[in-house]
Amino acid sequence: MAETALTGEPRATRLRLPRHLSPLLLASGLVALFVLLPLLALAGIAARGSGDMWPHLIATVLPDALAQTGLLVLGVGVVTLVVAVPCAWLVATCTFPGRSVLEWALLLPLAVPGYIVAFSYLDVLHPLGPVQEALRAMLGIASPRGLRLPDVRSTGGCILVLSAVLYPYVYLSARASFVLQSAAALEVARTLGASRWRAFLRIGLPLARPAIVAGLTLVLLEVLGDIGASEFLGVRTLTVSIYSTWVNRSNLPGAAQIALVMLALVLGLILLERWARRARRFVATGSARPQAPLRLTGLQGLAAAAFCALPVMLGFLVPLLHLSISAARRMAETGFPTRILGEAATTAALAAGTVTLALGLGLVVALGQRLTRAPLASGFARVASLGYAVPGTVLAVGLLSPLAGFDNMLDAAMKQAFGISTGLLLSGSGAALVAALAIRFLAIPVGGIEAGFAKLSPHLDMAARSLGSSQPRTVRRVLLPLLRPALATAALLVFVDAMKELPATLLLRPLGFETLATHVYGEAARGTYEDGALAALVILLVGLGPVMLLARMSSSALAASADGTRGSASARD
């Protein structure tokens, strides 16, 4: 019953939703549904295919695609571990010439998409390219047939190319683990007679295993989602099969069925990563004092510097130098290509739209966790972050059905209400592409804003509310200003990732919609590498921004952690 005031008149009651059904929590649930919708629709599209299609795919397409995908994933995983883990250990625990530069330079290949590195090496290692021509000139061989290096268009070439740009994921996580390891356990092993190398293998490496596995999982997910490098180098992976089945054969149900197989592989990889870390927790005991660095001099120091410099050279310096020379040569011959300006503007507009949508959705999800404290909110946040693990080709196929369904419902409603046909508003438009990219990269703002909130005490919210501020006003006047660094970092990372994204852009772009990434893809498909060099160079240079930011943030965080552990150890002493 409504309460009765002293006047005897009934007092109006305010309708309040239960806490577990707050509008913010419901909005978080809608964002999670937005991410899940393409994956659910994918099964519906695949079910519309002919029943005879599965036997055909199993007999003709899937065996070769699965074999090449598996070989590529295995090869990149092994090469990445062989390169990244020793580099991380050397940088974290040793001093040698050039270490201070290589510590952040080893992250630079993250600025270069795999398809651009493949694009560069196709020209650099071509039989008539600069490397083979220089070798023939040194050896006095006139004919190109007299000396032929192994063809980069192969599974081995693709493994090396993708490893050269993806190893930083493992390097970054492994370096952080090695830096933060306590010296106590390793010193105990040394006192028991173990050499430094044996102590690393038996103590240091197992302690770093969870971080290494997490980084390796990201690498393998990127390999599964790659389309540019794989297609350029002649490796027919599942992603390439989805693209060719949809675009070249106009068989959308068949592409959806292949995408389901690929999605199963992605989920299996994630479950495998969780299983590998099951019930394994490593806790540092005793002193938190970090390890004293091992000084490498002479040939040992030079060998360590050369080993760490090689992946930087192959994954960043060679593509940068080649693209710069090719772009300068092309502009000297034909002038500045004005089409680049239009493509750059289109790319920037696409990336800006993606940033706006992704930040808005990510803020809703993160605020749902912060303000409701409901267990469901954390579940919605995890679901909203799934898109980063789903390849762009899979998202593109899954989005077609929901977008077409929305367009048809809107068209029917407008016809019934106003006699106007709206046609296809979202399908085949830039809005569809923005939606796909926002889903793909939503994990970045969700994680970034969550990390920003973790640094803000809940007492800030309580203090503002105790002073009479409403919840929306508290968010607007207190929380959002304090979140500006986290929001700016997330916006920068999403912008660059959206600018580089190729698979979803290729499949969902409207007619005549050309970005820098699709320009590079088109020139590589035609074999006119110099014509695409400038667009590739622009992508590379823009990608340097977030990589340098990541290197700075990583170094600052590790330095702060190391200082904290030294301080706590000194206090105990």
Side-chain angles (χ1 to χ4, degrees), residues 104-120:
W104 58 265
L106 280 161
L107 293 174
L108 290 177
L110 280 178
V112 195
Y115 60 86
I116 287 183
V117 177
F119 173 87
S120 301

Side-chain angles (χ1 to χ4, degrees), residues 274-334:
R274 298 287 177 87
W275 176 84
R277 294 192 290 129
R278 72 194 187 286
R280 286 182 170 88
R281 299 184 183 274
F282 302 92
V283 180
T285 58
S287 172
R289 176 171 49 86
Q291 306 175 54
L294 174 65
R295 186 174 182 82
L296 301 179
T297 58
L299 290 178
Q300 285 185 332
L302 293 177
F307 184 85
C308 293
L310 183 62
V312 179
M313 181 183 70
L314 296 178
F316 180 77
L317 293 179
V318 170
L320 175 64
L321 182 62
H322 172 70
L323 293 174
S324 300
I325 294 174
S326 298
R329 183 187 298 124
R330 178 56 66 192
M331 285 191 291
E333 294 174 355
T334 62

Side-chain angles (χ1 to χ4, degrees), residues 178-204:
F178 289 140
V179 167
L180 298 177
Q181 284 180 8
S182 172
L186 297 174
E187 289 175 353
V188 169
R190 297 294 302 277
T191 61
L192 294 175
S195 64
R196 190 180 182 97
W197 175 246
R198 186 174 178 84
F200 164 73
L201 290 178
R202 299 297 298 272
I203 305 296

Side-chain angles (χ1 to χ4, degrees), residues 117-165:
V117 177
F119 173 87
S120 301
Y121 277 106
L122 279 172
D123 200 18
V124 170
L125 298 179
H126 192 273
L128 300 179
V131 171
Q132 297 203 45
E133 284 187 348
L135 288 175
R136 286 194 295 268
M138 291 172 56
L139 298 174
I141 300 174
S143 172
R145 296 182 178 179
L147 175 67
R148 292 290 295 271
L149 295 179
D151 194 356
V152 70
R153 291 180 182 269
S154 63
T155 303
C158 193
I159 288 172
L160 294 178
V161 163
L162 289 178
S163 300
V165 295

Side-chain angles (χ1 to χ4, degrees), residues 121-386:
Y121 277 106
L122 279 172
D123 200 18
V124 170
L125 298 179
H126 192 273
L128 300 179
V131 171
Q132 297 203 45
E133 284 187 348
L135 288 175
R136 286 194 295 268
M138 291 172 56
L139 298 174
I141 300 174
S143 172
R145 296 182 178 179
L147 175 67
R148 292 290 295 271
L149 295 179
D151 194 356
V152 70
R153 291 180 182 269
S154 63
T155 303
C158 193
I159 288 172
L160 294 178
V161 163
L162 289 178
S163 300
V165 295
L166 296 177
Y167 78 85
Y169 287 110
V170 176
Y171 163 76
L172 188 63
S173 57
R175 176 172 68 100
S177 180
F178 289 140
V179 167
L180 298 177
Q181 284 180 8
S182 172
L186 297 174
E187 289 175 353
V188 169
R190 297 294 302 277
T191 61
L192 294 175
S195 64
R196 190 180 182 97
W197 175 246
R198 186 174 178 84
F200 164 73
L201 290 178
R202 299 297 298 272
I203 305 296
L205 190 60
L207 286 174
R209 184 170 60 186
I212 293 172
V213 170
L216 183 62
T217 302
L218 290 176
V219 169
L220 300 185
L221 288 174
E222 291 289 338
V223 173
L224 285 174
D226 173 75
I227 188 172
S230 302
E231 187 171 9
F232 293 167
L233 300 179
V235 182
R236 192 173 182 80
T237 61
L238 286 169
T239 304
V240 175
S241 298
I242 293 170
Y243 178 74
S244 61
T245 301
W246 182 357
V247 176
N248 298 337
R249 301 176 186 172
S250 300
N251 187 350
L252 181 58
Q257 290 173 348
I258 301 174
L260 279 181
V261 175
M262 188 171 183
L263 185 59
L265 284 181
V266 170
L267 294 177
L269 183 61
I270 295 173
L271 292 176
L272 182 63
E273 186 263 347
R274 298 287 177 87
W275 176 84
R277 294 192 290 129
R278 72 194 187 286
R280 286 182 170 88
R281 299 184 183 274
F282 302 92
V283 180
T285 58
S287 172
R289 176 171 49 86
Q291 306 175 54
L294 174 65
R295 186 174 182 82
L296 301 179
T297 58
L299 290 178
Q300 285 185 332
L302 293 177
F307 184 85
C308 293
L310 183 62
V312 179
M313 181 183 70
L314 296 178
F316 180 77
L317 293 179
V318 170
L320 175 64
L321 182 62
H322 172 70
L323 293 174
S324 300
I325 294 174
S326 298
R329 183 187 298 124
R330 178 56 66 192
M331 285 191 291
E333 294 174 355
T334 62
F336 183 82
T338 55
R339 63 176 288 195
I340 290 292
L341 297 177
E343 292 168 355
T346 301
T347 305
L350 173 65
T354 303
V355 167
T356 302
L357 181 58
L359 278 187
L361 298 178
L363 191 59
V364 168
V365 172
L367 283 173
Q369 283 188 281
R370 171 84 175 193
L371 301 180
T372 66
R373 307 286 179 180
L376 266 179
S378 298
F380 290 151
R382 302 289 76 79
V383 172
S385 302
L386 283 177

